[in-house]
Amino acid sequence: MSVKDTICAIATGMGGSGIGIIRVSGENAISISDGIFRGKKRISEMDTYTAAFGSIIDKSQDDRVVDEAVVLVMKAPHSYTTEDTVEFDCHGNAFLLQKVIGLLVAEGARIAEPGEFTKRAYLGGRIDMTEAEAVMDVINAEGNAALSASVMQLRGGLKNKITALREKIIYDTAYIESAIDDPENYSLDGFDEGLHENILGIMEEIRDLLNTCDEGRIIREGIRTAIVGKPNVGKSSILNMILEEERAIVTSVEGTTRDTLEEYVRLEGILLRLIDTAGIRDTADVVERIGVEKARDNIDKADLVLFIVDGARELDKNDEDIISCFSGKTVITLINKEDLEMVIDRERLEALLTENGCIPRILTVSAAENTGRRELGRLISELFIHGEAHYNDQIIISNARHKEALTDALRSLEAVEKSISEGLPEDFYTIDMMAAYESLGLIIGETLEDDLADKIFAEFCMGK
Ligand code: GDP
């Protein structure tokens, strides 16, 4: 598989949409496309960034017209892939689009691997690794918040941040190397104090980035949500209220054990990943058998706890037992059955929640009358998207590879910090500094030696 091949693919979804776009990219994109297209001009005669109307024809069947299409030409290097690119806007019929792909293959194109257009954009230097991954994340994004985190990454937020951190490391490293080679012109006297401070500052910034990993997971994979409450308060009714009105249930998968079932649901644009809905759907005595232990387990795993109480009954020991597991958790309490006469002592409920270490956020709902769903969605949205966990303008690490690289960089810098504290000679820690530099470089797909050479050359005039 060569990067010189010309690749083609259907760029739009296969669900019957009005138009379907086929993209062709590579050295022979234009000549291959010419082979299947008849317009006023040949594609090879068109200027870059111009469009023309014409017919897609099948040469093997006496130039039979397969479809009418608009063709768009983008010549290298000013295209997404940096290669010659041709786009056909055809009619959005899956069968027809496949047929056009077949014609392109007959002319010498190859069907693109998943992500190959973006890979070429990366190889062509059009985007860096973080941006390439962000493109994948945009394509795969589940929900609005995930999308905006990816878009942020795409705009280069993470790249800029990582680049700035690397700059600092490389500057100090280059200085040390220069001083070791050329002690007459570069002095290391008093250098360690400044370096120590810089290293601590960089470590702090890396830790901040690492702290966003959880948030990254939440918005990509959904908020892990446990619905808890004693039997008969209406857990399964509320689950159904959340699920049934929602057409956009993403998927239901078998959990690791037979009896757990995870379901995904979108509420006000936020993806919830519901924990152990099977437990909730079981009959009441099974729930009773599972008991508080199981609830505690689910609470531990959850990012968000939906605690259901029955507004038509007094609070009792069962409710209190459950509340006692809430410490440190984000809990939303739903007082259910508001269609009945409310007897619950709301003040006592608030006091119990506060005593057990959680902020009382209470909504009154009725699963029977389907009220409160929207308020619940809004509250979750406030808590996780706009509120305490604030994602919108922040760079979020949502990618396991980035997390690993950041963790490695942090470890190397800890070693540097230790060496400085122990008063070891400078050439001792340049190795760890370069290791940190390299780890960070993995995030944006850059290499090591060239940069150091450039830096030493540009800023420290070696070999003068
Ligand atoms: P779970 O054991 O906590 O899952 O509770 P269920 O969802 O099975 O509900 C227990 C009982 O309460 C059922 O008879 C439901 O019909 C009833 N129920 C649930 N929600 C409401 C509600 O909002 N109003 C009224 N009046 N009854 C409800």
Side-chain angles (χ1 to χ4, degrees):
M1 186 172 52
S2 149
V3 285
K4 298 252 174 204
D5 293 357
T6 293
I7 52 174
C8 64
I10 301 167
T12 41
M14 295 303 277
S17 55
I19 60 161
I21 297 176
I22 287 175
R23 199 181 270 164
V24 191
S25 176
E27 249 175 17
N28 301 322
I30 290 174
S31 58
I32 287 173
S33 299
D34 254 337
I36 70 158
F37 188 76
R38 291 290 174 272
K40 238 176 170 174
K41 278 190 201 171
R42 296 180 58 78
I43 297 174
S44 51
E45 291 162 357
M46 288 169 66
D47 291 328
T48 186
Y49 280 94
T50 56
F53 192 74
S55 313
I56 290 179
I57 50 116
D58 183 349
K59 283 200 284 200
S60 70
Q61 296 196 342
D62 295 330
D63 288 3
R64 189 176 65 83
V65 173
V66 175
D67 193 16
E68 301 298 319
V70 171
V71 65
L72 176 66
V73 180
M74 288 159 285
K75 291 188 181 160
H78 300 293
S79 71
Y80 179 63
T81 54
T82 72
E83 303 169 329
D84 282 346
T85 300
V86 177
E87 253 178 43
F88 292 99
D89 289 19
C90 310
H91 292 100
N93 170 306
F95 176 74
L96 191 142
L97 293 169
Q98 294 291 3
K99 170 84 188 162
V100 178
I101 290 287
L103 295 174
L104 287 165
V105 170
E107 289 295 311
R110 166 168 70 71
I111 294 173
E113 304 284 322
E116 200 173 0
F117 287 92
T118 299
K119 183 170 155 206
R120 290 185 173 204
Y122 165 66
L123 292 173
R126 164 86 166 64
I127 56 175
D128 72 10
M129 192 59 94
T130 62
E131 290 166 323
E133 281 164 334
V135 171
M136 295 302 152
D137 289 349
V138 169
I139 295 165
N140 300 326
E142 300 278 15
N144 295 339
L147 190 59
S148 84
S150 305
V151 169
M152 190 66 118
Q153 218 178 46
L154 195 55
R155 281 200 216 113
L158 179 62
K159 177 175 117 189
N160 294 342
K161 181 114 194 173
I162 296 293
T163 306
L165 293 175
R166 294 178 89 224
E167 278 288 299
K168 292 181 190 172
I169 297 174
I170 197 82
Y171 187 91
D172 284 337
T173 312
Y175 191 87
I176 295 172
E177 308 251 303
S178 303
I180 290 166
D181 286 349
D182 184 7
E184 279 172 33
N185 287 300
Y186 301 100
S187 162
L188 287 171
D189 286 348
F191 178 76
D192 282 5
E193 282 158 38
L195 177 65
H196 197 196
E197 218 165 273
N198 288 347
I199 295 293
L200 289 176
I202 297 166
M203 285 165 69
E204 180 80 32
E205 290 191 55
I206 293 177
R207 281 198 196 100
D208 282 350
L209 283 174
L210 280 170
N211 283 338
T212 67
C213 291
D214 243 12
E215 294 165 9
R217 174 185 59 73
I218 282 176
I219 54 185
R220 271 162 63 105
E221 295 173 14
I223 300 168
R224 269 185 260 177
T225 306
I227 300 178
V228 298
K230 70 187 176 192
N232 275 319
V233 291
K235 290 182 298 299
S236 81
S237 309
I238 284 183
L239 174 67
N240 286 333
M241 171 172 89
I242 294 173
L243 291 176
E244 258 164 28
E245 262 218 341
E246 180 59 71
R247 293 283 155 258
I249 296 171
V250 183
T251 177
S252 296
V253 289
E254 287 277 332
T256 42
T257 55
R258 278 257 177 75
D259 61 355
T260 63
L261 180 77
E262 284 191 352
E263 278 170 287
Y264 292 82
V265 64
R266 216 186 291 281
L267 198 62
E268 297 284 298
I270 302 176
L271 191 67
L272 301 185
R273 180 175 168 190
L274 301 165
I275 297 173
D276 195 17
T277 49
I280 296 168
R281 287 197 167 133
D282 278 342
T283 57
D285 53 291
V286 174
V287 173
E288 221 130 26
R289 183 164 54 76
I290 295 169
V292 178
E293 274 316 306
K294 182 75 183 173
R296 193 192 302 272
D297 204 42
N298 288 341
I299 291 165
D300 280 346
K301 281 189 264 174
D303 304 312
L304 169 69
V305 178
L306 294 182
F307 173 45
I308 320 296
V309 294
D310 184 342
R313 282 192 276 166
E314 300 277 2
L315 288 167
D316 62 22
K317 175 84 169 57
N318 279 336
D319 296 304
E320 287 179 28
D321 283 348
I322 295 173
I323 295 176
S324 74
C325 311
F326 286 169
S327 176
K329 285 287 167 181
T330 303
V331 179
I332 295 177
T333 302
L334 299 178
I335 300 179
N336 189 31
K337 310 193 187 181
E338 73 171 337
D339 54 296
L340 303 177
E341 195 191 336
M342 295 280 92
V343 303
I344 194 166
D345 183 347
R346 193 178 162 124
E347 272 174 33
R348 174 141 180 275
L349 177 62
E350 282 183 23
L352 277 170
L353 288 164
T354 312
E355 278 165 30
N356 284 281
C358 65
I359 301 167
R361 301 180 186 91
I362 302 174
L363 292 176
T364 312
V365 304
S366 165
E369 297 192 336
N370 204 356
T371 59
R373 188 176 185 279
R374 173 162 297 182
E375 289 74 11
L376 175 63
R378 269 200 220 115
L379 182 55
I380 297 174
S381 163
E382 269 167 36
L383 284 175
F384 284 86
I385 307 297
H386 309 297
E388 290 149 30
H390 198 291
Y391 304 130
N392 287 349
D393 314 316
Q394 206 181 326
I395 299 163
I396 291 165
I397 303 302
S398 52
N399 179 297
R401 195 179 69 79
H402 297 173
K403 184 178 178 183
E404 195 182 312
L406 284 166
T407 309
D408 288 347
L410 188 62
R411 237 175 261 138
S412 302
L413 291 173
E414 278 163 0
V416 177
E417 212 257 305
K418 189 159 171 273
S419 305
I420 299 175
S421 304
E422 290 173 1
L424 295 171
E426 279 81 5
D427 55 344
F428 237 88
Y429 31 91
T430 53
I431 296 166
D432 290 319
M433 287 169 72
M434 288 323 287
Y437 182 80
E438 196 168 17
S439 299
L440 292 176
L442 288 175
I443 297 174
I444 52 178
E446 283 188 11
T447 54
L448 174 69
E449 272 81 16
D450 298 351
D451 287 18
L452 184 62
D454 286 352
K455 194 80 187 181
I456 292 178
F457 186 69
E459 299 212 18
F460 299 98
C461 319
M462 289 287 291
K464 59 181 178 244

